Coordinates of all heavy atoms in Angstrom, one line a residue:
I180 N -36.8 -28.4 -10.1 CA -35.5 -28.8 -10.6 C -34.4 -27.9 -9.9 O -34.6 -26.7 -9.8 CB -35.4 -28.6 -12.1 CG1 -36.4 -29.5 -12.8 CG2 -34.0 -28.8 -12.6 CD1 -36.5 -29.3 -14.3
L181 N -33.4 -28.5 -9.4 CA -32.3 -27.8 -8.8 C -31.0 -28.1 -9.5 O -30.7 -29.2 -9.6 CB -32.3 -28.2 -7.3 CG -31.1 -27.6 -6.5 CD1 -31.4 -26.1 -6.4 CD2 -31.1 -28.2 -5.1
L182 N -30.3 -27.0 -9.9 CA -29.1 -27.1 -10.6 C -28.0 -26.5 -9.7 O -28.1 -25.3 -9.4 CB -29.1 -26.5 -12.0 CG -27.8 -26.5 -12.7 CD1 -27.3 -27.9 -13.0 CD2 -27.9 -25.7 -14.0
T183 N -27.0 -27.2 -9.3 CA -25.9 -26.7 -8.5 C -24.6 -26.9 -9.3 O -24.3 -28.0 -9.7 CB -25.8 -27.4 -7.2 OG1 -27.1 -27.3 -6.5 CG2 -24.8 -26.8 -6.3
T184 N -23.9 -25.8 -9.4 CA -22.6 -25.9 -10.1 C -21.6 -25.1 -9.2 O -21.9 -24.2 -8.5 CB -22.6 -25.2 -11.5 OG1 -22.9 -23.9 -11.3 CG2 -23.6 -25.9 -12.4
S185 N -20.3 -25.5 -9.3 CA -19.3 -24.8 -8.6 C -18.2 -24.4 -9.7 O -18.0 -25.1 -10.6 CB -18.6 -25.6 -7.5 OG -18.1 -26.8 -8.1
A186 N -17.6 -23.3 -9.5 CA -16.6 -22.8 -10.4 C -15.7 -21.8 -9.8 O -16.1 -21.1 -8.8 CB -17.3 -22.1 -11.6
N187 N -14.5 -21.8 -10.3 CA -13.6 -20.7 -9.8 C -14.0 -19.4 -10.5 O -14.3 -19.4 -11.7 CB -12.2 -21.1 -10.2 CG -11.6 -22.2 -9.4 OD1 -12.0 -22.4 -8.3 ND2 -10.8 -23.0 -10.1
L188 N -14.0 -18.4 -9.8 CA -14.5 -17.1 -10.3 C -13.4 -16.3 -10.9 O -13.1 -15.2 -10.4 CB -15.3 -16.3 -9.2 CG -16.6 -17.0 -8.7 CD1 -17.2 -16.2 -7.6 CD2 -17.5 -17.2 -9.9
G189 N -12.9 -16.7 -12.0 CA -12.1 -15.9 -12.8 C -10.6 -15.7 -12.4 O -10.1 -16.6 -11.7
R190 N -10.1 -14.5 -12.6 CA -8.7 -14.3 -12.3 C -8.6 -12.8 -11.8 O -9.4 -12.0 -12.0 CB -7.8 -14.5 -13.5 CG -8.2 -13.5 -14.6 CD -7.3 -13.8 -15.8 NE -7.7 -12.8 -16.9 CZ -7.5 -13.0 -18.1 NH1 -6.8 -14.0 -18.5 NH2 -7.9 -12.1 -19.0
S191 N -7.5 -12.6 -11.2 CA -7.2 -11.2 -10.7 C -5.8 -10.9 -10.9 O -4.9 -11.7 -11.0 CB -7.5 -11.1 -9.2 OG -6.6 -11.9 -8.4
T192 N -5.5 -9.6 -11.1 CA -4.2 -9.1 -11.3 C -4.0 -7.9 -10.4 O -4.9 -7.1 -10.2 CB -3.9 -8.7 -12.8 OG1 -4.9 -7.7 -13.2 CG2 -4.0 -9.9 -13.7
R193 N -2.8 -7.7 -10.0 CA -2.4 -6.5 -9.3 C -1.2 -5.9 -9.9 O -0.2 -6.6 -10.1 CB -2.1 -6.8 -7.8 CG -3.3 -7.3 -7.1 CD -3.0 -7.6 -5.6 NE -4.1 -8.3 -5.0 CZ -4.0 -9.1 -4.0 NH1 -2.9 -9.4 -3.5 NH2 -5.1 -9.7 -3.6
T194 N -1.2 -4.6 -10.1 CA -0.1 -3.9 -10.6 C 0.2 -2.7 -9.7 O -0.7 -2.0 -9.3 CB -0.4 -3.4 -12.0 OG1 -0.8 -4.5 -12.8 CG2 0.8 -2.7 -12.7
G195 N 1.5 -2.4 -9.4 CA 1.7 -1.3 -8.5 C 3.2 -0.9 -8.5 O 4.0 -1.5 -9.1
A196 N 3.4 0.2 -7.7 CA 4.7 0.7 -7.6 C 4.9 1.2 -6.1 O 3.9 1.6 -5.5 CB 4.9 1.9 -8.5
E197 N 6.1 1.1 -5.7 CA 6.4 1.6 -4.3 C 7.7 2.4 -4.4 O 8.6 2.1 -5.1 CB 6.7 0.4 -3.4 CG 7.0 0.7 -2.0 CD 7.1 -0.5 -1.1 OE1 7.5 -1.6 -1.5 OE2 6.8 -0.3 0.1
A198 N 7.7 3.5 -3.6 CA 8.9 4.4 -3.5 C 9.3 4.5 -2.1 O 8.4 4.7 -1.2 CB 8.5 5.7 -4.1
I199 N 10.6 4.5 -1.8 CA 11.1 4.6 -0.5 C 12.2 5.6 -0.5 O 13.1 5.5 -1.4 CB 11.6 3.2 0.1 CG1 10.4 2.2 0.1 CG2 12.2 3.4 1.4 CD1 10.9 0.8 0.3
A200 N 12.3 6.5 0.5 CA 13.4 7.4 0.6 C 13.7 7.6 2.1 O 12.8 7.6 3.0 CB 13.0 8.8 0.1
N201 N 15.0 7.7 2.4 CA 15.4 8.0 3.8 C 16.7 8.7 3.7 O 17.5 8.6 2.8 CB 15.5 6.7 4.7 CG 16.3 5.7 4.1 OD1 17.4 5.9 3.5 ND2 15.8 4.4 4.1
G202 N 17.0 9.5 4.7 CA 18.2 10.3 4.7 C 18.3 11.2 6.0 O 17.5 11.0 6.9
K203 N 19.2 12.2 5.9 CA 19.4 13.1 7.0 C 19.2 14.5 6.6 O 19.6 14.9 5.5 CB 20.8 12.9 7.6 CG 21.0 11.6 8.3 CD 22.4 11.6 9.0 CE 22.5 10.4 9.9 NZ 23.7 10.5 10.7
F204 N 18.7 15.3 7.6 CA 18.7 16.8 7.5 C 19.7 17.2 8.6 O 19.3 17.3 9.8 CB 17.3 17.4 7.7 CG 16.3 17.0 6.7 CD1 15.1 16.4 7.0 CD2 16.5 17.4 5.3 CE1 14.2 16.1 6.1 CE2 15.6 17.1 4.4 CZ 14.4 16.5 4.7
G205 N 20.9 17.5 8.3 CA 21.9 17.9 9.3 C 22.4 16.7 10.0 O 22.3 15.5 9.6
K206 N 22.9 16.9 11.3 CA 23.5 15.8 12.0 C 22.5 15.1 13.0 O 22.7 14.0 13.4 CB 24.6 16.4 12.9 CG 25.8 16.9 12.1 CD 26.9 17.3 13.0 CE 28.1 17.8 12.2 NZ 29.2 18.3 13.0
T207 N 21.4 15.8 13.3 CA 20.5 15.2 14.3 C 19.1 14.9 13.9 O 18.4 14.2 14.6 CB 20.3 16.2 15.5 OG1 19.7 17.4 15.0 CG2 21.7 16.6 16.2
L208 N 18.7 15.2 12.6 CA 17.4 15.0 12.2 C 17.4 14.0 11.0 O 18.1 14.3 10.0 CB 16.7 16.3 11.7 CG 15.2 16.2 11.3 CD1 14.4 15.7 12.4 CD2 14.8 17.5 10.8
T209 N 16.7 12.9 11.1 CA 16.6 11.9 10.0 C 15.2 11.7 9.5 O 14.2 12.0 10.3 CB 17.2 10.6 10.4 OG1 16.5 10.0 11.4 CG2 18.7 10.7 10.7
Y210 N 15.0 11.3 8.3 CA 13.6 11.1 7.8 C 13.5 9.7 7.1 O 14.6 9.2 6.7 CB 13.2 12.2 6.8 CG 13.9 12.2 5.5 CD1 13.5 11.4 4.4 CD2 15.1 12.9 5.4 CE1 14.2 11.4 3.2 CE2 15.8 12.9 4.2 CZ 15.4 12.2 3.1 OH 16.1 12.1 2.0
N211 N 12.3 9.2 7.1 CA 12.1 7.9 6.4 C 10.7 8.1 5.8 O 9.7 8.3 6.5 CB 12.1 6.7 7.3 CG 12.0 5.4 6.6 OD1 11.2 5.3 5.7 ND2 12.7 4.4 7.1
A212 N 10.5 7.9 4.5 CA 9.2 8.1 3.8 C 9.0 6.9 2.8 O 10.0 6.4 2.2 CB 9.2 9.4 3.1
S213 N 7.8 6.5 2.7 CA 7.4 5.5 1.6 C 6.0 5.8 1.1 O 5.2 6.3 1.8 CB 7.6 4.1 2.2 OG 6.6 3.9 3.2
A214 N 5.8 5.4 -0.1 CA 4.5 5.5 -0.7 C 4.2 4.3 -1.6 O 5.2 3.8 -2.3 CB 4.4 6.8 -1.5
T215 N 3.0 3.8 -1.7 CA 2.6 2.7 -2.5 C 1.3 3.0 -3.2 O 0.4 3.6 -2.7 CB 2.4 1.4 -1.6 OG1 3.5 1.2 -0.8 CG2 2.1 0.2 -2.5
L216 N 1.3 2.6 -4.5 CA 0.1 2.8 -5.4 C -0.1 1.5 -6.1 O 0.8 1.0 -6.7 CB 0.3 3.9 -6.4 CG -0.9 4.3 -7.3 CD1 -2.0 4.8 -6.4 CD2 -0.4 5.3 -8.3
M217 N -1.4 0.9 -5.9 CA -1.7 -0.4 -6.5 C -3.0 -0.3 -7.2 O -3.9 0.4 -6.8 CB -1.9 -1.4 -5.4 CG -0.6 -1.7 -4.6 SD 0.5 -2.7 -5.4 CE -0.3 -4.3 -5.5
E218 N -3.1 -1.0 -8.3 CA -4.3 -1.2 -9.1 C -4.7 -2.7 -9.0 O -3.9 -3.5 -9.3 CB -4.2 -0.8 -10.5 CG -5.5 -0.9 -11.3 CD -5.4 -0.6 -12.8 OE1 -4.7 -1.3 -13.5 OE2 -6.0 0.4 -13.2
H219 N -5.9 -2.9 -8.6 CA -6.4 -4.3 -8.5 C -7.5 -4.5 -9.6 O -8.4 -3.7 -9.8 CB -7.1 -4.5 -7.1 CG -6.2 -4.1 -6.0 ND1 -5.3 -5.0 -5.4 CD2 -6.1 -3.0 -5.3 CE1 -4.7 -4.4 -4.5 NE2 -5.2 -3.1 -4.4
K220 N -7.5 -5.7 -10.2 CA -8.4 -5.9 -11.3 C -8.9 -7.4 -11.1 O -8.1 -8.3 -11.0 CB -7.8 -5.7 -12.7 CG -8.7 -5.8 -13.8 CD -7.9 -5.5 -15.1 CE -8.9 -5.2 -16.2 NZ -8.1 -4.9 -17.5
I221 N -10.2 -7.6 -11.1 CA -10.8 -8.9 -11.0 C -11.7 -9.1 -12.3 O -12.5 -8.3 -12.6 CB -11.7 -9.1 -9.8 CG1 -10.8 -8.9 -8.5 CG2 -12.4 -10.4 -9.7 CD1 -11.6 -8.8 -7.2
E222 N -11.5 -10.2 -12.9 CA -12.3 -10.6 -14.1 C -12.9 -11.9 -13.9 O -12.3 -12.9 -13.4 CB -11.4 -10.6 -15.4 CG -10.7 -9.3 -15.7 CD -9.8 -9.4 -16.9 OE1 -9.4 -10.6 -17.2 OE2 -9.3 -8.4 -17.3
T223 N -14.2 -12.0 -14.2 CA -14.9 -13.3 -14.0 C -16.0 -13.4 -15.0 O -16.3 -12.4 -15.8 CB -15.5 -13.4 -12.6 OG1 -16.0 -14.7 -12.4 CG2 -16.6 -12.4 -12.3
E224 N -16.7 -14.5 -15.0 CA -17.8 -14.7 -15.9 C -18.9 -15.4 -15.2 O -18.7 -16.5 -14.6 CB -17.3 -15.5 -17.1 CG -18.3 -15.6 -18.3 CD -17.7 -16.3 -19.5 OE1 -16.8 -15.7 -20.1 OE2 -18.2 -17.4 -19.8
I225 N -20.1 -14.9 -15.1 CA -21.2 -15.5 -14.5 C -22.3 -15.7 -15.5 O -22.8 -14.7 -16.2 CB -21.7 -14.6 -13.3 CG1 -20.6 -14.5 -12.2 CG2 -23.0 -15.2 -12.7 CD1 -21.0 -13.6 -11.1
L226 N -22.7 -16.9 -15.7 CA -23.7 -17.3 -16.7 C -23.4 -16.7 -18.1 O -24.2 -16.1 -18.8 CB -25.1 -16.8 -16.3 CG -25.7 -17.3 -15.0 CD1 -27.0 -16.7 -14.6 CD2 -25.8 -18.8 -15.1
N227 N -22.1 -16.9 -18.4 CA -21.6 -16.5 -19.7 C -21.6 -15.0 -19.9 O -21.6 -14.5 -21.1 CB -22.2 -17.2 -20.9 CG -22.0 -18.7 -20.9 OD1 -20.9 -19.1 -20.5 ND2 -22.9 -19.5 -21.3
V228 N -21.7 -14.2 -18.9 CA -21.6 -12.8 -19.0 C -20.3 -12.3 -18.3 O -20.1 -12.5 -17.1 CB -22.9 -12.1 -18.2 CG1 -22.8 -10.6 -18.3 CG2 -24.1 -12.6 -18.8
P229 N -19.4 -11.7 -19.1 CA -18.2 -11.3 -18.5 C -18.4 -10.1 -17.6 O -19.2 -9.1 -17.8 CB -17.3 -10.9 -19.7 CG -18.3 -10.7 -20.8 CD -19.5 -11.5 -20.5
I230 N -17.7 -10.1 -16.4 CA -17.8 -9.1 -15.4 C -16.4 -8.7 -15.0 O -15.6 -9.6 -14.8 CB -18.6 -9.5 -14.2 CG1 -20.0 -9.9 -14.6 CG2 -18.6 -8.5 -13.1 CD1 -20.8 -10.5 -13.5
A231 N -16.1 -7.4 -15.0 CA -14.8 -6.9 -14.6 C -14.9 -5.8 -13.6 O -15.8 -4.9 -13.7 CB -14.0 -6.4 -15.8
R232 N -14.1 -5.9 -12.6 CA -14.1 -4.8 -11.5 C -12.7 -4.4 -11.3 O -11.8 -5.2 -11.3 CB -14.7 -5.3 -10.2 CG -16.1 -5.8 -10.3 CD -17.0 -4.6 -10.2 NE -18.4 -5.0 -10.1 CZ -19.3 -5.1 -11.1 NH1 -18.9 -4.9 -12.3 NH2 -20.5 -5.5 -10.9
K233 N -12.4 -3.1 -11.1 CA -11.1 -2.7 -10.8 C -11.1 -1.5 -9.8 O -12.1 -0.8 -9.7 CB -10.3 -2.4 -12.0 CG -10.6 -1.1 -12.7 CD -9.6 -0.9 -13.9 CE -9.8 0.4 -14.6 NZ -8.8 0.6 -15.6
G234 N -10.1 -1.4 -9.1 CA -10.0 -0.3 -8.1 C -8.5 0.1 -7.9 O -7.6 -0.7 -8.2
T235 N -8.3 1.2 -7.3 CA -6.9 1.7 -7.0 C -6.8 2.0 -5.5 O -7.7 2.6 -4.9 CB -6.6 2.9 -7.8 OG1 -6.8 2.6 -9.2 CG2 -5.2 3.4 -7.6
T236 N -5.7 1.6 -4.9 CA -5.4 1.9 -3.5 C -4.1 2.5 -3.4 O -3.2 2.3 -4.3 CB -5.5 0.6 -2.6 OG1 -4.5 -0.3 -3.1 CG2 -6.9 0.0 -2.7
G237 N -3.9 3.3 -2.4 CA -2.6 3.9 -2.1 C -2.3 4.1 -0.7 O -3.3 4.1 0.1
S238 N -1.1 4.2 -0.3 CA -0.8 4.5 1.1 C 0.5 5.3 1.1 O 1.3 5.3 0.2 CB -0.6 3.2 1.9 OG 0.5 2.5 1.4
A239 N 0.7 6.1 2.2 CA 1.9 6.9 2.4 C 2.3 6.9 3.9 O 1.4 6.8 4.7 CB 1.7 8.3 1.9
R240 N 3.6 6.9 4.1 CA 4.1 6.9 5.5 C 5.3 7.8 5.6 O 6.1 7.8 4.7 CB 4.5 5.5 5.9 CG 4.9 5.3 7.4 CD 5.3 3.9 7.7 NE 6.5 3.5 7.0 CZ 7.7 3.8 7.4 NH1 7.9 4.6 8.5 NH2 8.8 3.4 6.7
L241 N 5.4 8.5 6.7 CA 6.5 9.4 6.9 C 6.9 9.4 8.4 O 6.0 9.5 9.3 CB 6.1 10.9 6.5 CG 7.2 12.0 6.9 CD1 8.4 11.8 6.0 CD2 6.6 13.3 6.6
S242 N 8.2 9.4 8.7 CA 8.6 9.5 10.1 C 9.8 10.4 10.1 O 10.7 10.4 9.2 CB 8.9 8.1 10.7 OG 10.0 7.5 10.1
L243 N 9.9 11.2 11.1 CA 11.0 12.1 11.4 C 11.6 11.8 12.8 O 10.8 11.6 13.7 CB 10.6 13.6 11.4 CG 10.0 14.1 10.1 CD1 9.4 15.5 10.3 CD2 11.1 14.2 9.1
S244 N 12.9 11.6 12.8 CA 13.5 11.3 14.1 C 14.6 12.4 14.4 O 15.3 12.8 13.5 CB 14.3 10.0 14.0 OG 13.3 8.9 13.7
W245 N 14.5 12.8 15.7 CA 15.4 13.9 16.1 C 16.2 13.4 17.3 O 15.6 13.0 18.3 CB 14.7 15.2 16.4 CG 15.5 16.3 16.8 CD1 16.6 16.8 16.3 CD2 15.2 17.2 17.9 NE1 17.1 17.9 17.0 CE2 16.2 18.2 18.0 CE3 14.1 17.3 18.8 CZ2 16.2 19.2 18.9 CZ3 14.2 18.3 19.8 CH2 15.2 19.2 19.8
Q246 N 17.5 13.4 17.3 CA 18.3 13.0 18.4 C 19.3 14.2 18.8 O 20.4 14.2 18.3 CB 19.1 11.8 18.1 CG 19.8 11.2 19.3 CD 20.2 9.8 19.1 OE1 20.2 9.2 18.0 NE2 20.7 9.2 20.2
P247 N 18.8 15.1 19.6 CA 19.6 16.3 19.9 C 20.9 16.0 20.8 O 21.9 16.6 20.7 CB 18.7 17.2 20.7 CG 17.6 16.4 21.2 CD 17.5 15.2 20.3
T248 N 20.7 14.9 21.6 CA 21.9 14.5 22.5 C 22.0 13.0 22.4 O 21.1 12.3 21.9 CB 21.7 14.9 23.9 OG1 20.6 14.2 24.5 CG2 21.5 16.4 24.1
A249 N 23.0 12.4 23.0 CA 23.2 11.0 23.0 C 22.1 10.3 23.8 O 21.8 9.1 23.5 CB 24.5 10.6 23.5
K250 N 21.5 11.0 24.8 CA 20.5 10.3 25.6 C 19.0 10.7 25.2 O 18.1 10.0 25.7 CB 20.7 10.8 27.1 CG 22.0 10.2 27.7 CD 22.1 10.6 29.1 CE 23.3 9.9 29.7 NZ 23.4 10.2 31.2
D251 N 18.8 11.7 24.4 CA 17.5 12.1 24.0 C 17.2 11.7 22.6 O 18.0 11.9 21.7 CB 17.4 13.7 24.2 CG 17.6 14.1 25.6 OD1 17.1 13.5 26.5 OD2 18.3 15.2 25.8
F252 N 15.9 11.3 22.4 CA 15.5 10.8 21.1 C 14.0 11.1 21.0 O 13.2 10.7 21.8 CB 15.7 9.3 20.9 CG 15.3 8.8 19.6 CD1 16.1 9.0 18.5 CD2 14.1 8.1 19.4 CE1 15.8 8.5 17.2 CE2 13.7 7.6 18.2 CZ 14.6 7.8 17.1
F253 N 13.6 11.8 19.9 CA 12.2 12.1 19.7 C 11.8 11.6 18.2 O 12.6 11.8 17.3 CB 11.9 13.6 19.7 CG 12.3 14.2 21.0 CD1 13.5 14.8 21.2 CD2 11.4 14.2 22.1 CE1 13.8 15.4 22.5 CE2 11.7 14.8 23.3 CZ 12.9 15.4 23.5
Q254 N 10.6 11.1 18.1 CA 10.2 10.6 16.8 C 8.8 11.0 16.6 O 7.9 10.8 17.4 CB 10.4 9.1 16.7 CG 10.1 8.6 15.3 CD 10.5 7.1 15.2 OE1 10.1 6.3 16.0 NE2 11.3 6.8 14.2
L255 N 8.5 11.4 15.4 CA 7.2 11.8 14.9 C 6.8 11.0 13.7 O 7.7 11.0 12.7 CB 7.1 13.3 14.6 CG 5.8 13.8 14.1 CD1 4.7 13.7 15.2 CD2 5.9 15.3 13.7
G256 N 5.7 10.4 13.6 CA 5.3 9.5 12.5 C 3.9 9.8 12.1 O 3.0 10.1 12.9
G257 N 3.6 9.5 10.8 CA 2.3 9.6 10.3 C 2.1 8.6 9.1 O 3.0 8.2 8.5
Q258 N 0.8 8.3 9.0 CA 0.4 7.3 8.0 C -0.9 7.7 7.4 O -1.8 8.1 8.1 CB 0.3 5.9 8.6 CG 0.1 4.8 7.7 CD 0.2 3.5 8.3 OE1 1.0 3.3 9.2 NE2 -0.6 2.5 7.9
Y259 N -1.0 7.6 6.1 CA -2.2 7.9 5.4 C -2.6 6.7 4.4 O -1.7 6.2 3.8 CB -2.1 9.2 4.6 CG -3.3 9.6 3.8 CD1 -4.4 10.1 4.5 CD2 -3.4 9.4 2.5 CE1 -5.6 10.5 3.8 CE2 -4.6 9.8 1.8 CZ -5.6 10.3 2.5 OH -6.8 10.7 1.8

């Protein structure tokens, strides 16, 4: 006997927050920073057994720009 069924596997939700900041340190140095934090949740049911999984992810980014003269421009960036 072979029983084949198809079903959508539940639902998922994502909740999170993002922060962004940018500005200047003096006349020639500027910064740009951002950070994101997210929680992911998946809920499903297999053979009438509820299953839930969740996890958290995050990221951060920062860049510094320095323009000492009108012709010179330096930028340093990082991401995690």
Side-chain angles (χ1 to χ4, degrees):
I180 297 174
L181 177 64
L182 174 63
T183 303
T184 60
S185 62
N187 290 329
L188 292 178
R190 62 181 179 200
S191 67
T192 57
R193 294 182 190 151
T194 306
E197 181 175 30
I199 300 171
N201 53 45
K203 288 187 171 190
F204 295 122
K206 293 182 179 181
T207 61
L208 184 64
T209 61
Y210 69 91
N211 186 323
S213 66
T215 304
L216 183 64
M217 296 283 290
E218 181 184 67
H219 308 274
K220 189 176 193 180
I221 298 172
E222 297 174 350
T223 189
E224 193 173 292
I225 297 175
L226 299 174
N227 294 327
V228 177
I230 298 172
R232 300 279 188 263
K233 73 178 185 177
T235 303
T236 60
S238 66
R240 187 181 66 80
L241 173 67
S242 66
L243 297 171
S244 302
W245 179 46
Q246 189 167 8
T248 68
K250 292 185 178 183
D251 297 318
F252 181 79
F253 302 96
Q254 188 171 51
L255 177 66
Q258 185 170 325
Y259 180 76

